[in-house]
């Protein structure tokens, strides 16, 4: 097993500001990055930095925790290919619009006609979710369920993807679920907000948001098409996939990995997307199945041992927290290793992580991963320390210091053999 620093390379983090070092990206929500909301997204500057630094045109990059597909979009913009894996089915609906590659003729008028079709729908779509009415007043539910029936009848094309993205957003805004934070719960604030809204012409507001969002997304997609004209790289998306058991059919060697694993104690991605997923026709059973695979809800099957992790384990008194820690490192490492084994020799793995606190003890995730992987077929390259400004996590709207963390780290490892 590794001793703390084991000589060789200096493990001291190098300070960096990804926002400053990638000045060509001024706005984290540029182009189609923010069409879909997703918690704990990468800032695109981190991904752009990894791509520019460690890959070249037409390379293949894998992200085993792809979330909303930030790596996919940045890869496509810079003429790289990407393989995106995530447990969350939402990725399947995000990618066609976020990385639109179609050649279909389209116009704002065409979009407006499709929105009208949706508004005139008479059938209802009722999500296969016992509790769905808990989240909506009856009148709002009735309108949404007609609109969703309309969306589900549309052809699979750019118009549908845009209207769907817009309706996902509205279905949260007009629900009793708090929409200012990612976590799914009914808040007093939201209850009051919705009951006041219902005293107004809420239906007209809902309709106008449907148009406004859709037009805004339409403009973003047009802009994306403009800047990616002539790009023909592939973005392969495997949603609903557990990245620890994923197998790539082609046997191709990949050039790099860029990813940000789930946070140690903020693991609620599927729950966060639950309402969206029900409206998108997923069943309770399907959602339960993927929730069970979410890190770190699963039982650890092996205990990962590294110098730093063992020290932390010794200090934690609460058994439940030790179980979470064990599960987290077992499954996070399993997913990373599974994808990292697909890298070619000298391929780089760029892993963006925080140092959360468990029981008041700082868990140096990047160091633990370094200790684990340098015992395998990987070498330590460098670790960057990026001081946190703001990042939207689960707890609050803009959390200046998530999990008590002051920095996030980009660990870079190299495949040796
Ligand atoms: C920090 S988020 C990634 C966000 C992403 N970088 C982005 O920019 O949108 C971590 C992701 O890991 C996913 N995840 C959790 N357990 C997983 C597993 N076993 N296999 C694949 N993905 C998993 C979650 O669904 C979540 O989307």
């Amino acid at each position: 097993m590794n001793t703390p620093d084991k000589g060789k390379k200096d493990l001291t983090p190098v300070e960096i500001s990804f926002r400053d070092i990638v000045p060509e990206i001024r706005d984290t929500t540029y182009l189609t990055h923010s069409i879909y909301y997703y918690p704990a997204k990468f800032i695109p500057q981190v991904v752009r930095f990894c791509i520019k630094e460690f890959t070249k045109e037409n390379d293949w990059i894998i992200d085993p925790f792809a979330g909303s597909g930030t790596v996919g979009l940045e890869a496509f913009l810079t003429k790289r290919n990407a393989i995106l894996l995530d447990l969350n089915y939402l990725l399947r609906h995000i990618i066609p619009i976020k990385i639109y590659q179609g050649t279909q003729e389209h116009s704002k008028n065409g979009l407006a006609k499709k929105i009208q079709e949706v508004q005139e729908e008479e059938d209802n779509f009722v999500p296969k979710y016992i509790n769905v009415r808990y989240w909506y007043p009856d009148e709002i539910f009735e309108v949404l369920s007609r609109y969703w029936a309309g969306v589900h009848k549309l052809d699979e094309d750019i118009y549908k993807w845009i209207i769907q993205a817009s309706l996902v957003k509205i279905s949260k805004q007009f629900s009793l679920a708090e929409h200012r934070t990612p976590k799914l719960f009914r808040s007093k604030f939201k209850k009051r907000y919705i009951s006041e809204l219902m005293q107004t012409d809420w239906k007209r507001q809902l309709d106008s948001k449907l148009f406004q969002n859709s037009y805004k997304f339409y403009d973003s997609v047009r802009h994306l098409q403009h800047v990616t004209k002539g790009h023909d790289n592939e973005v392969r998306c495997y949603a609903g996939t557990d990245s620890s058991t994923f197998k790539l059919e082609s046997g191709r060697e990949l050039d790099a990995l860029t990813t940000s694993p789930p946070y140690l104690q903020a693991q609620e991605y599927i729950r966060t997307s639950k309402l969206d997923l029900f409206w998108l026709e997923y069943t309770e059973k399907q959602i339960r199945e993927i929730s069970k695979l979410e890190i770190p809800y699963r039982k650890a099957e092996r205990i990962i041992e590294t110098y730093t992790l063992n020290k932390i384990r010794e200090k934690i008194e609460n058994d439940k927290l030790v179980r979470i820690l064990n599960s987290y490192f077992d499954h996070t490492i399993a997913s990373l290793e599974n994808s990292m084994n697909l890298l070619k020799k000298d391929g780089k793995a760029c892993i963006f992580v925080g140092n959360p606190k468990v029981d008041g003890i700082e868990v140096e995730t990047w160091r633990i991963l370094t200790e684990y992987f340098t015992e395998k077929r990987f070498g330590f390259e460098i670790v960057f320390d990026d001081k946190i400004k703001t990042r939207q996590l689960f707890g609050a709207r803009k959390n200046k210091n998530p999990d008590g963390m002051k920095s996030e780290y980009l660990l870079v490892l190299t495949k040796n053999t």
Side-chain angles (χ1 to χ4, degrees), residues 115 119 147 162-163 165-167 169-174 179 193 197 202-217:
I115 298 176
Q119 289 173 316
Y147 286 9
I162 288 177
I163 302 169
S166 175
L167 205 52
K169 199 164 182 179
I170 289 168
S171 302
K172 184 95 185 262
Q173 270 172 0
F174 284 75
H179 67 260
Y193 170 85
L197 183 74
W202 62 270
K203 168 80 169 46
R204 204 172 58 82
Q205 292 183 48
L206 190 151
D207 283 330
S208 109
K209 277 205 176 354
L210 186 58
F211 273 98
Q212 273 168 25
N213 292 342
S214 302
Y215 286 163
K216 195 168 145 220
F217 298 164

Side-chain angles (χ1 to χ4, degrees), residues 239-254:
T241 298
D242 173 11
S243 50
S244 66
T245 52
F246 169 78
K247 285 198 173 55
L248 190 62
E249 321 86 60
S250 71
R252 154 196 313 278
E253 284 201 319
L254 308 178

Side-chain angles (χ1 to χ4, degrees), residues 38 42 65-68 70 86-87 241-243 260 269 293 295:
Y38 207 79
F42 256 139
F65 301 110
S68 63
T70 310
D86 203 284
L87 264 185
T241 298
D242 173 11
S243 50
S260 71
Y269 297 93
L293 296 170
I295 295 171

